């Protein structure tokens, strides 16, 4: 096979010097010269990658990308160089729509101008003509897109979350080792993109580009503008599988009142993953953990089961079990989120887990968790924090797993109390009217008064004795 110039690589290297590119094309009249020019272009890209990377070389991810090289063979380009290629490819396309001064929080925290082209969405610094490396997203690679409220803000704000393929699922150590073995055949994965918009309308001059006229009718707010721009761009690039998903209080909402918006239902719950605090969003397509790095999204079609563990009086944990990879003999990975408010259990379990047909695999831990929650509810009721479950309240009517467990636990305690009362012998029953009356009063009044002289076992069986 005849040697060929790597036109793409040469074009990206010398796009600012068309005279050099033309000279190379004219001088490439032999296989030896073609190989030489290709090698020069590859070397220049290595230098570009070294000079433009913001991290030390020892910390840089060396993920190899396959591109066509001399004689049709593949030559490796490091992950940082692949980012340069992507940025240059995006910069080569005309900008159709530009929205200025948008607050990006992931993968970098800074204000950027967001640019829409036919095949890319990318960020660039104000006044700069080139994209920011690492914030260049091919439309075809975006798999999930979300529009979510930003919690705990005095001013109403929303986040757009765009998740490229292979950017949102947790990776185990064994998977990391397997990935390292195939790095030479893959490009460096993109990080999720998260940017924030206010509830106000864009200012004059914020929207530019040939498509600014088409965007004018939907520019009464940032939300309508970005909804239109993202959806239109995805579909125009042939990505019809990715749909913009918004949080929905009908799918899930927390019972907790929001500090700044007490009249609005919170569509998130506070939680921890390890030592990091964040928010869980129970969405129509899966569970999102944000908004700090690393973001996680657990699609419903990859969730095997959800378990409830580490139940305390006010909080509990959930463990999300994911399906194992293809050919995996072991069970799937488990992701734990901790310190969820116990008040949100019913909404999570009944409104989300059951509605979407997710299995509960708490097993022994589940029974232990339900018993602990039932006991906690009993203590709260005795302290006047909650009404009794048997008074026709929502707990009995809802019939959630924990409420059933609470009723069963109360029934068990009542049965034990009845058995203890039947076996109790006051000693000289019937011989003295006074002593017999006193014993009966102790049995009848022991539940409410908690007399200190009652038998210890008797006190444990009486409901309300703390």
């Amino acid at each position: 096979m005849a040697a060929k110039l790597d036109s793409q690589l040469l074009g990206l290297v010398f796009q600012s010097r068309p005279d050099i590119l033309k000279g190379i094309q004219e001088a490439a009249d032999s296989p030896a010269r073609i190989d030489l020019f290709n090698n020069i272009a590859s070397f220049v890209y290595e230098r570009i990658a070294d000079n433009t990377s913001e991290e030390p070389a020892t910390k840089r991810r060396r993920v190899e990308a396959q591109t066509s090289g001399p004689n049709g063979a593949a030559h490796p380009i490091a992950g940082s160089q692949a980012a340069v290629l992507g940025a240059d490819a995006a910069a080569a396309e005309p900008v159709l729509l530009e929205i200025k001064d948008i607050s990006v929080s992931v993968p970098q925290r800074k204000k950027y101008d967001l640019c829409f082209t036919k095949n890319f969405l990318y960020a660039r610094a104000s006044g700069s003509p080139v994209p920011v490396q690492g914030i260049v997203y091919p439309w075809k690679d975006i798999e999930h897109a979300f529009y979510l409220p930003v919690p705990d803000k005095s001013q109403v704000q929303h986040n757009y979350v765009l998740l490229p393929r292979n950017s949102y699922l947790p990776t185990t150590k064994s998977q990391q080792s397997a990935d390292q073995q195939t790095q030479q055949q893959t490009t460096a994965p993109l990080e999720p993109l998260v940017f924030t918009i206010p509830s106000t309308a864009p200012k004059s001059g914020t929207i530019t580009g040939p498509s600014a006229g088409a965007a004018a009718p939907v520019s009464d707010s940032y939300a309508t503008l970005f909804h239109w721009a993202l959806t239109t761009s995805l579909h125009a690039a042939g990505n019809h599988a990715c749909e913009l998903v918004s949080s929905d209080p009908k799918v899930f909402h927390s019972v907790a009142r929001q500090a700044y918006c007490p009249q609005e239902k919170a569509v998130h719950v506070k939680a921890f993953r390890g030592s990091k605090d964040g928010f869980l969003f129970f969405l129509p397509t899966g569970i999102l953990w944000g908004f700090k790095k690393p973001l996680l999204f657990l699609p419903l079609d990859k969730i095997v089961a959800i378990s409830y563990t580490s139940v305390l009086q006010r909080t509990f944990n959930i463990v999300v079990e994911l399906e194992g990879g293809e050919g995996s003999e072991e069970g799937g990975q488990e992701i734990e989120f901790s310190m969820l408010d116990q008040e949100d259990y019913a909404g999570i379990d009944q409104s989300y887990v059951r509605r979407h047909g997710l299995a509960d695999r708490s097993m022994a831990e589940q029974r232990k968790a339900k018993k602990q929650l039932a006991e906690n509810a009993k203590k709260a009721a005795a302290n006047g924090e909650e009404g009794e479950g048997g008074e026709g309240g929502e707990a009995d009517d809802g019939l959630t797993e924990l409420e059933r467990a609470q009723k069963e636990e109360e029934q068990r305690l009542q049965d034990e109390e009845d058995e203890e009362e039947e076996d109790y012998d006051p000693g000289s029953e019937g011989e003295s009217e006074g002593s017999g009356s006193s014993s009966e009063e102790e049995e009848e009044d022991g539940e409410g008064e908690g007399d200190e002289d009652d038998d210890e076992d008797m006190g444990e069986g009486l409901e309300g004795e703390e």
Side-chain angles (χ1 to χ4, degrees), residues 186-266:
T186 60
T187 58
L190 290 169
E191 293 188 60
L193 172 65
V194 180
F195 61 90
T196 307
I197 61 165
S199 59
T200 57
K203 297 179 180 179
S204 177
T206 299
I207 307 169
T208 61
S211 297
V218 294
S219 299
D220 53 336
S221 71
Y222 276 103
T224 55
L225 172 62
F226 273 105
H227 270 57
W228 171 83
L230 291 171
T231 302
T232 302
S233 299
L234 286 166
H235 292 175
N239 188 347
H240 298 279
C242 179
E243 297 292 339
L244 187 58
V245 176
S246 301
S247 54
D248 186 353
K250 295 180 181 178
V251 174
F252 172 81
H253 68 271
S254 171
V255 299
R257 290 170 61 87
Q258 300 190 83
Y260 296 105
C261 305
Q263 303 304 320
E264 295 185 10
K265 294 180 179 179

Side-chain angles (χ1 to χ4, degrees), residues 121 139 141-148 159-165 167-168 192-195 226-227 229-231 234-235 239 241-247 283-286 288 291 297:
L121 168 67
W139 292 115
D141 289 344
I142 296 176
E143 192 169 5
H144 298 281
F146 302 106
Y147 173 73
L148 307 171
N159 277 341
Y160 282 93
V161 181
L162 305 184
L163 303 178
R165 290 179 179 83
S167 70
Y168 54 84
L193 172 65
V194 180
F195 61 90
F226 273 105
H227 270 57
L230 291 171
T231 302
L234 286 166
H235 292 175
N239 188 347
C242 179
E243 297 292 339
L244 187 58
V245 176
S246 301
S247 54
L283 303 170
T285 54
L288 178 77
F291 291 102
F297 177 63

Side-chain angles (χ1 to χ4, degrees), residues 60-88:
R60 235 178 281 145
R61 288 177 294 180
R62 289 296 183 181
V63 182
E64 303 296 321
Q66 292 277 354
T67 61
S68 59
N71 301 316
H75 64 80
I77 295 182
S80 55
Q81 293 172 275
V84 176
L85 283 169
D88 285 344

